[in-house]
Amino acid sequence: MNSGVWVALLLSLKVAGWATLLNMVFGVAAAYGLSRWRSPARDLVDAVLTLPLVLPPTVLGYYLLVLLGRRGVFGAWLDKWGIELVFTWQGAVIAATIVAFPLVLKSARAAFENVDAQLENAARVLGVSEAGVFFRVTLPLASKGIAAGVLLAFARALGEFGATLMIAGNLPGRTQTLSVAIYEAVQAGDDQTANLLVLITSATCIVVLLIAGRLLPKSQRRRNT
């Protein structure tokens, strides 16, 4: 295995890891908010947040370029502070985070909505604060569903290609992730490297999916079979 493969693998794991951490925070927070929010606008907000799941990755990449490019809405402001996100691994993290976000959102929201409200109310009657109810009752009961969504998001972030290529480019050693390296190897006719990268990516994703399946609530597993 040449050094370029190791670099692409490590970079992919770093990007997917950071994207997963960000989704654990923002995805779980958004899921909890939607599960408890009662408003006619809730379905619209949910649809907007789920949009990255169905939009072509190249469209998401274009949106990111418009927003984060030097002439973009946020990019021009960031440029004043010397912050550049386009063609950097941080840009790849942002792309992977957005693409994988709906997987955490959907799984975590379903997990929160399956929590027995009577248990939460019982904790409130005992004088537990709202923060205490969340961290001591709601979150532990929803943890398996959240963990399944997080693992799926990690696998999705690991294999992200389109949006990453548009916002971060294909710079070996800097922004070239596994999926982009596979594309380059195929274009170059390097079947040996392409096959190796495909096997690594496929094996990693299969392991993640098996673990995620074990963590899904039994009722949800029955619905999927």
Side-chain angles (χ1 to χ4, degrees):
M1 187 183 296
N2 60 53
S3 60
V5 173
W6 281 112
V7 172
L9 175 60
L10 293 175
L11 180 61
S12 296
L13 291 174
K14 180 168 74 169
V15 169
W18 276 105
T20 303
L21 287 174
L22 290 172
N23 278 325
M24 283 179 64
V25 176
F26 297 108
V28 171
Y32 181 74
L34 287 175
S35 70
R36 297 299 185 266
W37 187 29
R38 298 292 179 265
S39 170
R42 183 174 69 164
D43 290 341
L44 176 61
V45 173
D46 181 74
V48 171
L49 293 178
T50 309
L51 205 55
L53 194 63
V54 295
L55 277 179
T58 49
V59 174
L60 293 175
Y62 177 77
Y63 281 145
L64 289 174
L65 284 175
V66 170
L67 292 172
L68 302 177
R70 287 189 174 182
R71 297 182 181 179
V73 178
F74 299 109
W77 179 79
L78 292 172
D79 189 54
K80 294 179 181 178
W81 298 90
I83 300 174
E84 179 65 44
L85 294 176
V86 178
F87 299 122
T88 65
W89 71 268
Q90 291 90 343
V93 169
I94 293 174
T97 301
I98 293 174
V99 169
F101 178 84
L103 294 173
V104 176
L105 177 72
K106 288 297 185 181
S107 297
R109 180 181 173 183
F112 284 131
E113 290 178 344
N114 283 331
V115 172
D116 191 345
Q118 292 183 349
L119 297 176
E120 295 175 320
N121 292 331
R124 294 187 183 98
V125 170
L126 294 173
V128 180
S129 65
E130 286 299 320
V133 171
F134 176 78
F135 286 107
R136 296 169 62 182
V137 179
T138 309
L139 189 59
L141 291 174
S143 60
K144 285 191 175 182
I146 294 172
V150 167
L151 285 171
L152 291 174
F154 176 82
R156 181 65 185 87
L158 189 66
E160 166 52 28
F161 173 74
T164 300
L165 184 62
M166 291 194 69
I167 191 69
N170 180 20
L171 304 176
R174 293 178 55 191
T175 65
Q176 189 184 75
T177 58
L178 276 175
S179 55
V180 178
I182 292 170
Y183 174 78
E184 184 179 73
V186 172
Q187 292 293 309
D190 187 355
D191 293 340
Q192 183 178 359
T193 300
N195 289 334
L196 178 60
L197 292 171
V198 166
L199 286 174
I200 292 172
T201 306
S202 300
T204 303
C205 291
I206 288 172
V207 170
V208 169
L209 289 173
L210 288 174
I211 297 173
R214 292 286 183 179
L215 291 173
L216 282 172
K218 291 183 179 179
S219 58
Q220 190 169 343
R221 263 190 264 172
R222 284 195 294 268
R223 287 198 298 268
N224 293 337
T225 57

